[in-house]
Amino acid sequence: MKILLFEPFLIKGENLGGDAKKLVQLAEDLEKQGHSYEIITENVGPMSSWQNYHIIKSIFKYKKGDYTGDVILSSGTPFWGALTGLVRKKLGIPAIFYLTHINYPKSNFYNVLKLNFFNIIYPSKNFFRNIDNTLFEVFHAVFDGLKTKKFFLKKLNYVDKVIASCEYLKNYIKPVYNKKVQICYPGIKEIPEKDLPENKLDDEVKFLYFGALDLRRGPLKIINIARKLKSSKFKILAWPEYFPATKDLIKRIIKRYQIRNVELLGYCDDFPGEFAKVNFVLLPYLYTNYMPPLVLLEAMSMRRPIITTDVGANSEFITDQESGFIIDTKNTNKQSQQIQKIIKNNNTEKLTRIADRAAEIVKDKCDWQKFSNNFKYEIEKIVSTK
């Protein structure tokens, strides 16, 4: 059996996105069992509007026989699911789509895509002469104003199977998706007991923000909270190639206001080691459009106490005072007061109990073997009935 990976965040086999990484690891697991996989995404660089534009443009060239395989496997937003369905039609191979995100409203990606793609290609009527109507409809929707929710969600019906990464996303697509949606939480590989850090409260409490510097994920909230909690230390580990402008903005704010308790670092491969150095993982999301962030799940598996907001699918994993701590979504003063209260009302014993409960939840819901077996079953089922 051969799997074709159609992924937006892969460059020459190198993972750039968390959900893409899960599918590559899954394909590698199946490869050890005698199967094979091939990445069919044509990519040009780090995640960007130009990268997506390049990939989507290449879809126009796909035709039956270009790639030989038994099943297409992909993940991402309904927009990417729609494209996966179109690739399925062009290649004539069944497709499974892992829904991990929903489209951000008014995303810059669409504006750039609209300007670059249609200014260059749309005026050329000859270009569309042999394009199937469905593919044309997708780009026409982008060109005409992006009523993305219903339009792209309906296009998910072109794939043979949609698997949602959480209940939140399942409920989101339910009104317009015609088939049964299965939930499969992302697989997290268990950390050996010997590598798990001890939970304790230091005199100088340390917080870690880890992830992309997307403003919707609240990196500037870290700065504002740090200015109010001057006796604590804050570390920001970021993917600078994703949002360099936000990184520069944070640097300027730190310098201008002489904020000495915030350390801004680039991407770090040793995030387990970084988790071990802090007392809390602080994720003050304003909005999240996807499955529980992998950094949240990985921190839970590392038994690090989580402080986050009740947005997206976070509540499927974090119950306040039981498996983590929930703070206000927007008000910085309130957030700071809540964090101070968390520090004051908790000791090492309480934090250990909460962190242990968080690890149990992740182990139960996100067991890697369960994740792998679920996808293997669905892949083999769809291949056997094609």
Side-chain angles (χ1 to χ4, degrees):
M1 180 175 66
K2 183 177 180 181
I3 301 166
L4 302 180
L5 288 181
F6 180 65
E7 275 293 332
F9 300 152
L10 294 174
I11 296 178
K12 296 178 182 177
E14 179 184 349
N15 163 61
L16 284 182
D19 50 332
K21 180 179 179 180
K22 297 301 173 190
L23 294 194
V24 171
Q25 290 174 334
L26 173 66
E28 289 171 346
D29 277 3
L30 291 173
E31 193 173 43
K32 293 173 185 175
Q33 299 173 32
H35 304 296
S36 63
Y37 74 93
E38 179 184 359
I39 295 167
I40 65 170
T41 318
E42 296 183 28
N43 224 320
V44 293
M47 185 181 73
S48 64
S49 299
W50 171 254
Q51 176 221 58
N52 283 281
Y53 153 68
H54 179 84
I55 295 171
I56 294 165
K57 184 179 176 182
S58 72
I59 295 171
F60 281 101
K61 302 174 186 175
Y62 286 176
K63 59 184 182 297
K64 194 167 184 177
D66 280 351
Y67 295 97
T68 57
D70 298 292
V71 62
I72 298 165
L73 188 58
S74 181
S75 67
T77 66
F79 178 79
W80 197 260
L83 296 181
T84 302
L86 298 172
V87 171
R88 182 219 183 285
K89 289 183 71 177
K90 282 180 162 287
L91 299 184
I93 300 168
I96 295 176
F97 184 69
Y98 189 37
L99 180 66
T100 59
H101 299 61
I102 55 178
N103 297 97
Y104 276 130
K106 298 180 181 178
S107 168
N108 287 335
F109 156 61
Y110 295 111
N111 294 328
V112 174
L113 175 66
K114 176 178 169 181
L115 290 171
N116 282 299
F117 190 85
F118 284 95
N119 285 350
I120 296 169
I121 295 172
Y122 190 78
S124 173
K125 294 180 181 179
N126 290 335
F127 188 83
F128 289 102
R129 189 167 290 168
N130 298 314
I131 299 300
D132 77 44
N133 290 332
T134 306
L135 187 57
F136 178 79
E137 286 173 12
V138 170
F139 289 101
H140 195 67
V142 174
F143 186 64
D144 283 347
L146 285 168
K147 296 177 180 177
T148 58
K149 183 174 179 179
K150 286 188 176 179
F151 184 86
F152 290 125
L153 288 178
K154 285 182 178 178
K155 298 304 177 190
L156 285 176
N157 289 293
Y158 286 123
V159 302
D160 300 84
K161 178 77 176 181
V162 171
I163 300 174
S165 61
C166 58
E167 192 77 36
Y168 171 72
L169 291 178
K170 177 183 176 180
N171 293 335
Y172 184 87
I173 68 170
K174 196 174 180 181
V176 290
Y177 184 66
N178 298 333
K179 305 169 190 174
K180 184 178 180 181
V181 181
Q182 176 188 340
I183 293 177
C184 184
Y185 288 110
I188 302 293
K189 295 194 174 182
E190 192 173 356
I191 307 295
E193 189 74 29
K194 63 180 180 63
D195 296 332
L196 293 174
E198 180 184 352
N199 280 300
K200 60 180 181 178
L201 271 179
D202 303 317
D203 292 334
E204 183 181 67
V205 181
K206 302 179 184 69
F207 297 88
L208 172 69
Y209 171 94
F210 180 77
L213 293 181
D214 185 336
L215 291 176
R216 292 164 290 205
R217 299 192 192 182
L220 293 185
K221 284 287 182 183
I222 299 291
I223 304 297
N224 293 333
I225 292 169
R227 294 180 68 186
K228 295 180 179 298
L229 303 181
K230 294 181 180 178
S231 62
S232 298
K233 291 287 186 181
F234 297 80
K235 183 180 288 188
I236 299 175
L237 286 177
W239 290 303
E241 65 267 36
Y242 278 24
F243 298 94
T246 308
K247 185 178 181 182
D248 291 340
L249 174 61
I250 290 174
K251 283 181 177 178
R252 292 198 301 272
I253 292 173
I254 290 173
K255 183 177 180 180
R256 178 178 178 180
Y257 294 101
Q258 298 182 345
I259 304 171
R260 305 189 188 283
N261 61 333
V262 175
E263 185 180 6
L264 176 63
L265 302 173
Y267 180 74
C268 172
D269 287 325
D270 182 30
F271 61 86
E274 293 298 331
F275 285 154
K277 298 175 186 177
V278 300
N279 305 108
F280 296 93
V281 174
L282 178 58
L283 304 171
Y285 297 125
L286 296 167
Y287 174 77
T288 180
N289 69 327
Y290 52 103
M291 61 187 177
L294 288 177
V295 62
L296 183 146
L297 300 179
E298 287 162 347
M300 290 175 72
S301 72
M302 284 286 294
R303 297 184 186 171
R304 303 324 284 155
I306 309 288
I307 300 175
T308 190
T309 55
D310 188 14
V311 294
N314 287 1
S315 61
E316 293 178 43
F317 286 83
I318 300 293
T319 301
D320 191 35
Q321 306 292 328
E322 181 183 320
S323 55
F325 303 95
I326 298 294
I327 59 173
D328 190 74
T329 305
K330 295 181 179 180
N331 189 300
T332 303
N333 286 330
K334 193 170 182 180
Q335 288 175 329
S336 302
Q337 291 168 6
Q338 289 171 321
I339 292 171
Q340 286 177 319
K341 190 175 179 180
I342 289 168
I343 295 170
K344 181 180 179 181
N345 293 348
N346 287 278
N347 54 33
T348 298
E349 184 181 349
K350 286 183 180 178
L351 289 180
T352 300
R353 186 172 66 249
I354 288 171
D356 285 348
R357 177 58 186 146
E360 288 172 6
I361 291 171
V362 169
K363 186 175 181 179
D364 177 55
K365 291 186 174 182
C366 301
D367 176 71
W368 174 261
Q369 202 56 52
K370 185 190 296 184
F371 172 81
S372 180
N373 289 342
N374 279 344
F375 270 89
K376 181 185 176 185
Y377 172 79
E378 295 298 336
I379 290 169
E380 290 177 345
K381 180 180 175 183
I382 208 168
V383 169
S384 67
T385 56
K386 74 174 183 176

